[in-house]
Amino acid sequence: MKKVALFAGLAALGAFPASAQSPINFNARGLVVVSDADLAASALVDGKLLRDNTAKDQLTTIKFPIERGSKGVGSALVSNSVLASAKTLAVPASGGLAYVLDSRLRPEDGVTEYKEPSKEFPGGEKLFVVDITNLGAPKAKFGFPVGRKPNAIDVNKNELILSTNEVGKELVFIEAGPDGKPARFLNLPAAIDTTNKIIDITWHPSGDFIAFTLDNSNEVGLYKVIREAGKLKNVELVGKPVKVGTEPSFGKFSADGKHYFVLDTKSATPGKGAGDGEILVVNFSMDGAVEHKVAAQVPAGTNTGSFAISPDGSTLVTVNAGKSGAPWGEAGAGSGAALTLYKVAATDGALTKVADYPFEGIYPQSVVFDKDGSNLAVSVFEYLEYGVGNGGVEFWTVTKGDAPVLKKQGARVSVGKGAHTLRVIP
């Protein structure tokens, strides 16, 4: 009797954790992450690939609620690259399929170093389709050529828009069938100077417009989608592109489509940024009646990979690699990664910084909110660990309201080394 009473007393005091409480909370059906095994993060700085020739690129799916062990976590071999934009992976909100751009190919096994990896890696040309219906067992289905060195992809229902470095295929539209095969494939007139290339592309929430980022002129612009019988037929440039900093890249619309947020990394080479970047807020003139304009801008972190906007539009979070990708022999290597939390003004989209949240991990590049904005998931390329090594997906809890706060959760999901882009299935 005394033992029973003692057990009851300890339980009442919380000495035994509640079994229903998971160390990972994320309110979504699943996550999809791609991992590039062809280089260490430090290769972006010193060119030394330091790769394990037995490791392969892969796509990993994570099913929620998550269980201990490997159940509900699956992977498939899918070639991908961290050397393109932060939009080499697209997953429709309905799930079922994942689309992965093969921007760079795996170097020959004897290749150990490149002076400039982003320029010297052999170029890819394919889009791969992966069946993720079963999140515990994704299956790579097929791939097909879309253009040399594809840069970015985004999806609106079953409509894919992507950009490549190939002349005449700067802008590609694909209407995907239920199995992911292209029911329609159009090379659209990009209406840009041939010295430029589109390095990032984004569907407007309405599906009626497409935003894009140009590299050499450092501008963002807007296309209007022209449809015939409900089918995309063409695109039409709306107004003139507007300059946004010195090295603009990743962009994303607010949920209501009123504002377009753009990351300016301030660095021409991934991983080599020496100072803070910026987030700019662009107000597009959707009818072209007035000029597009930059409405606000705020400092971001160093080597920021991308950002996420909460479903209610009230907060924005950037993921910053800092100097974490430095060669391991250098002081500060493996440290400096952080999330930065901002409040977003409901009226004009202006950003107000709340706080930085440092964490351990090398070269984090992607961050996503869950379906109600209560939690965040963050990709980590690798860790300061010797041996085989892995990448990871880490999780944070979001306290909402006028004074939002982030708190790191206690567990992470181990995935293939080189994890770099995340997408959520609500």
Side-chain angles (χ1 to χ4, degrees):
M1 294 293 292
K2 289 182 179 180
K3 289 183 179 179
V4 173
L6 176 62
F7 182 89
L10 288 171
L13 290 171
F16 297 96
S19 59
Q21 181 64 40
S22 170
I24 292 178
N25 293 299
F26 197 76
N27 300 322
R29 286 181 291 155
L31 279 172
V32 184
V33 57
V34 286
S35 299
D36 181 356
D38 297 335
L39 71 169
S42 57
L44 299 169
V45 179
D46 65 6
K48 297 177 182 178
L49 302 184
L50 299 176
R51 58 181 172 150
D52 175 359
N53 286 333
T54 64
K56 305 296 182 183
D57 292 1
Q58 61 183 266
L59 174 146
T60 302
T61 47
I62 305 169
K63 181 182 179 180
F64 296 99
I66 198 160
E67 300 179 47
R68 187 170 177 178
S70 59
K71 186 178 180 181
V73 178
S75 64
L77 297 181
V78 182
S79 183
N80 65 88
S81 178
V82 70
L83 296 173
S85 79
K87 288 187 185 159
T88 57
L89 169 66
V91 179
S94 59
L97 296 170
Y99 301 92
V100 184
L101 289 181
D102 188 21
S103 179
R104 303 290 195 279
L105 300 178
R106 180 181 178 85
E108 296 293 330
D109 286 351
V111 177
T112 61
E113 185 173 352
Y114 285 123
K115 185 177 181 180
E116 294 185 77
S118 60
K119 294 181 180 179
E120 296 177 59
F121 253 75
E125 64 172 5
K126 288 186 176 181
L127 173 65
F128 289 106
V129 179
V130 185
D131 184 342
I132 58 170
T133 305
N134 180 356
L135 290 172
K139 296 179 181 179
K141 299 183 68 177
F142 51 83
F144 53 91
V146 292
R148 189 176 64 86
K149 286 187 179 180
N151 291 312
I153 185 171
D154 199 16
V155 60
N156 169 52
K157 298 178 182 177
N158 70 325
E159 296 180 330
L160 301 167
I161 194 77
L162 57 98
S163 64
T164 84
N165 282 320
E166 186 169 331
V167 176
K169 294 183 178 180
E170 295 92 346
L171 192 62
V172 178
F173 169 79
I174 298 171
E175 181 183 327
D179 58 358
K181 291 182 178 178
R184 294 174 67 228
F185 189 111
L186 301 175
N187 294 319
L188 301 170
I192 59 172
D193 189 295
T194 54
T195 61
N196 265 314
K197 65 175 181 285
I198 300 172
I199 55 172
D200 189 78
I201 200 155
T202 314
W203 278 104
H204 186 270
S206 67
D208 295 330
F209 298 91
I210 296 165
F212 60 91
T213 302
L214 298 174
D215 68 334
N216 290 337
S217 61
N218 305 318
E219 298 172 313
V220 295
L222 186 72
Y223 293 117
K224 181 179 180 180
V225 174
I226 309 300
R227 296 183 184 275
E228 187 176 87
K231 301 284 188 179
L232 186 146
K233 180 182 179 182
N234 211 335
V235 293
E236 181 180 275
L237 190 64
V238 179
K240 295 180 180 179
V242 59
K243 189 172 178 62
V244 281
T246 59
E247 294 293 339
S249 56
F250 181 90
K252 193 173 181 66
F253 279 103
S254 57
D256 59 12
K258 292 181 179 179
H259 310 292
Y260 192 62
F261 299 86
V262 184
L263 167 64
D264 177 12
T265 64
K266 305 293 184 186
S267 173
T269 306
K272 286 190 175 182
D276 286 348
E278 283 187 314
I279 301 289
L280 299 97
V281 185
V282 176
N283 288 342
F284 284 124
S285 172
M286 310 310 278
D287 60 3
V290 296
E291 292 185 354
H292 309 313
K293 67 174 183 178
V294 175
Q297 57 196 91
V298 66
T302 300
N303 291 316
T304 299
S306 61
F307 58 84
I309 305 169
S310 62
D312 66 2
S314 66
T315 55
L316 182 148
V317 175
T318 63
V319 57
N320 317 305
K323 298 297 182 66
S324 62
W328 289 15
E330 294 186 7
S335 63
L339 298 180
T340 303
L341 174 64
Y342 301 85
K343 292 176 64 176
V344 182
T347 52
D348 58 5
L351 301 174
T352 302
K353 182 177 175 178
V354 177
D356 293 316
Y357 294 87
F359 65 97
E360 294 182 0
I362 294 174
Y363 205 60
Q365 286 293 286
S366 190
V367 57
V368 292
F369 280 91
D370 62 8
K371 66 181 179 181
D372 62 2
S374 297
N375 304 282
L376 287 168
V378 181
S379 69
V380 176
F381 200 88
E382 59 186 326
Y383 295 91
L384 198 63
E385 299 171 344
Y386 288 85
V388 176
N390 290 298
V393 179
E394 306 205 348
F395 298 86
W396 297 68
T397 299
V398 182
T399 299
K400 304 175 186 179
D402 292 336
V405 176
L406 303 182
K407 183 179 180 181
K408 195 171 183 300
Q409 297 182 20
R412 65 182 183 233
V413 178
S414 179
V415 299
K417 186 177 181 180
H420 62 90
T421 303
L422 277 169
R423 293 293 178 263
V424 63
I425 307 171

